[in-house]
C-alpha cells in the first residue's frame, strides 16, 4: 500500500484547491485589478500541484517502493479529503443568509462535488472511492456556526451519482474534549495577559507586578495535572485539532475503515 500525501496548510476549496469544473472564482466584493490578478493566479493552484504530484509519484513508483512489480501494476484505491477551516471562516465567499434561506455554505457542497468528479477524471479513476473527512474542530459541542458547514461538507456523499463510492466521516467525535477545555482556559490566560500588559504600559502596574498577577491567574485557573496533560497531548492550535496525535490517529483509522467497504470485491 502506498499513501500519497499532498498537504498545504491554510488553504481553501473555494480558491486554492478550486477544481477546474468550478470555473473561475467570482468575488462578491469589488476588487482592484491587482487583487483580481492575484486571485486568478491563486485559483486552483494547489489543485494542480496535488494532481501533478500524484501523477509524478505514480509515474515512477520504484523511486519510493524499490521492490514494486511493474507487471503487477497498481490501482488508485481511494482518496481522503480532510480540510475546511479556511472555507468555514470565509464570510466573503459564504455570506450569511437570512433565516430560512438555506445553508450559507451550499456552494462548498457544489465545489466539493466538482472536486470529486475532476480528481477522478484527472487521476483516470472514474469510480475511485472517496472519503470526506467532515471538519470536527470543536468537537460535538462546537458552536452552532460549525454545524451548517459540516452539513454542507458532508452533503455530496448523499448525491445519487456518488452512491456507493463516496462516504462522509464525521471527525467531531475524535476531538479531544479534555484538551479542548484546557485550550479555552489558555485563551482566558492570553486575554488576561493582554489586559495586564496594557495596564503596565499605562503605568497602572509595574511589569513585574503584571507578570506576577498573570502567573497567579494561570495557576488558579489551570491545575498542574491539566498543564501536564496539555504538554503531553497538544502541540498546535484548535483549528489544527490542537495538534493531538490521538485525534489524528483515530481519524485515520476511521477513514481507512470507511474506505474498505467501498473497495471492489
Amino acid at each position: 500500500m502506498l499513501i500519497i500525501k499532498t498537504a498545504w496548510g491554510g488553504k481553501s476549496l473555494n480558491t486554492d484547491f478550486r477544481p477546474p469544473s468550478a470555473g473561475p472564482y467570482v468575488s462578491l466584493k469589488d476588487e482592484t485589478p491587482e487583487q483580481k490578478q492575484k486571485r486568478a493566479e491563486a485559483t486552483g493552484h494547489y489543485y494542480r500541484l496535488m494532481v501533478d504530484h500524484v501523477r509524478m509519484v505514480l509515474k515512477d513508483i520504484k523511486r519510493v517502493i524499490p521492490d514494486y512489480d511493474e507487471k503487477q501494476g497498481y490501482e488508485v484505491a481511494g482518496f481522503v479529503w480532510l480540510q475546511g477551516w479556511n472555507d468555514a471562516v470565509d464570510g466573503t465567499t459564504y455570506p450569511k443568509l437570512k433565516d430560512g434561506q438555506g445553508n450559507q455554505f451550499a456552494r462548498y457542497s457544489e465545489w466539493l462535488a466538482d472536486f470529486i468528479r475532476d480528481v477522478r477524471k484527472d487521476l483516470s479513476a472514474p469510480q475511485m472511492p472517496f472519503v470526506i473527512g467532515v471538519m470536527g474542530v470543536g468537537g460535538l459541542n462546537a458552536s452552532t456556526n460549525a454545524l451548517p458547514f459540516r452539513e454542507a461538507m458532508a452533503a455530496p456523499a448523499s448525491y445519487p451519482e456518488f452512491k456507493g463510492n463516496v462516504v462522509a466521516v464525521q471527525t467531531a467525535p475524535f476531538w479531544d474534549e479534555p484538551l479542548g477545555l484546557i485550550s479555552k482556559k489558555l485563551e482566558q490566560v492570553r486575554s488576561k495577559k493582554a489586559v495586564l500588559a496594557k495596564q503596565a504600559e499605562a503605568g497602572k502596574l509595574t511589569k513585574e507586578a503584571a507578570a506576577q498577577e498573570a502567573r497567579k491567574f494561570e495557576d488558579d485557573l489551570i491545575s498542574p495535572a491539566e498543564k501536564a496533560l496539555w504538554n503531553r497531548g497538544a502541540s498546535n492550535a484548535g483549528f489544527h485539532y490542537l495538534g493531538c496525535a490521538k485525534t489524528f490517529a483515530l481519524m485515520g483509522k476511521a477513514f481507512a475503515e470507511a474506505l474498505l467497504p467501498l473497495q471492489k470485491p
Side-chain angles (χ1 to χ4, degrees):
M1 180 179 290
L2 171 61
I3 298 177
I4 305 175
K5 179 181 177 182
T6 60
W8 301 273
K11 300 294 178 282
S12 68
L13 175 64
N14 69 72
T15 298
D16 303 300
F17 277 97
R18 192 179 185 88
S21 293
Y25 180 95
V26 179
S27 179
L28 299 180
K29 64 178 183 179
D30 291 334
E31 292 184 328
T32 65
E34 292 76 14
Q35 290 174 322
K36 290 181 179 179
Q37 177 64 26
K38 187 176 181 180
R39 173 78 75 170
E41 292 173 355
T43 298
H45 177 68
Y46 286 90
Y47 177 91
R48 294 187 291 274
L49 281 181
M50 173 192 69
V51 171
D52 288 346
H53 179 72
V54 174
R55 287 174 173 170
M56 179 193 72
V57 174
L58 295 178
K59 187 177 181 180
D60 186 14
I61 294 179
K62 277 185 173 292
R63 184 176 63 87
V64 287
I65 307 292
D67 59 352
Y68 166 66
D69 183 358
E70 293 182 352
K71 293 182 180 180
Q72 181 185 18
Y74 66 84
E75 174 193 8
V76 180
F79 190 109
V80 172
W81 176 251
L82 178 63
Q83 177 266 352
W85 180 265
N86 278 52
D87 286 276
V89 297
D90 186 344
T92 299
T93 304
Y94 311 96
K96 290 185 177 180
L97 305 175
K98 293 182 179 179
D99 293 342
Q101 289 193 353
N103 190 322
Q104 74 180 96
F105 298 105
R107 301 188 76 186
Y108 185 97
S109 304
E110 298 173 11
W111 294 330
L112 184 54
D114 288 332
F115 182 97
I116 296 171
R117 299 183 194 104
D118 286 351
V119 79
R120 284 173 167 175
K121 177 183 177 181
D122 289 335
L123 298 182
S124 301
Q127 294 298 313
M128 177 182 66
F130 195 102
V131 167
I132 303 168
V134 180
M135 192 177 73
V137 170
L140 297 174
N141 298 313
S143 66
T144 54
N145 292 335
L147 302 183
F149 182 77
R150 292 176 182 176
E151 178 184 327
M153 194 172 190
S158 65
Y159 293 1
E161 67 177 292
F162 296 143
K163 183 178 181 180
N165 54 42
V166 176
V167 62
V169 175
Q170 298 290 337
T171 65
F174 307 123
W175 172 265
D176 194 291
E177 293 294 348
L179 289 179
L181 292 175
I182 299 172
S183 178
K184 291 180 180 179
K185 291 183 178 182
L186 288 171
E187 183 59 38
Q188 293 179 49
V189 172
R190 286 189 287 271
S191 297
K192 183 68 173 180
K193 286 182 177 179
V195 170
L196 292 170
K198 288 183 178 180
Q199 292 178 349
E201 290 177 4
K204 297 179 180 179
L205 284 174
T206 65
K207 291 184 178 180
E208 293 75 15
Q212 183 177 0
E213 187 172 339
R215 283 194 297 272
K216 184 178 185 306
F217 180 82
E218 181 174 349
D219 290 340
D220 289 344
L221 186 64
I222 306 174
S223 70
E226 287 176 320
K227 291 181 180 180
L229 176 60
W230 180 261
N231 291 332
R232 185 172 69 250
S235 66
N236 210 299
F239 48 75
H240 285 159
Y241 296 85
L242 304 172
C244 178
K246 181 175 73 172
T247 295
F248 285 112
L250 292 172
M251 288 196 295
K253 182 173 183 288
F255 297 157
E257 291 175 343
L259 274 174
L260 284 175
L262 307 184
Q263 303 296 316
K264 295 178 182 178

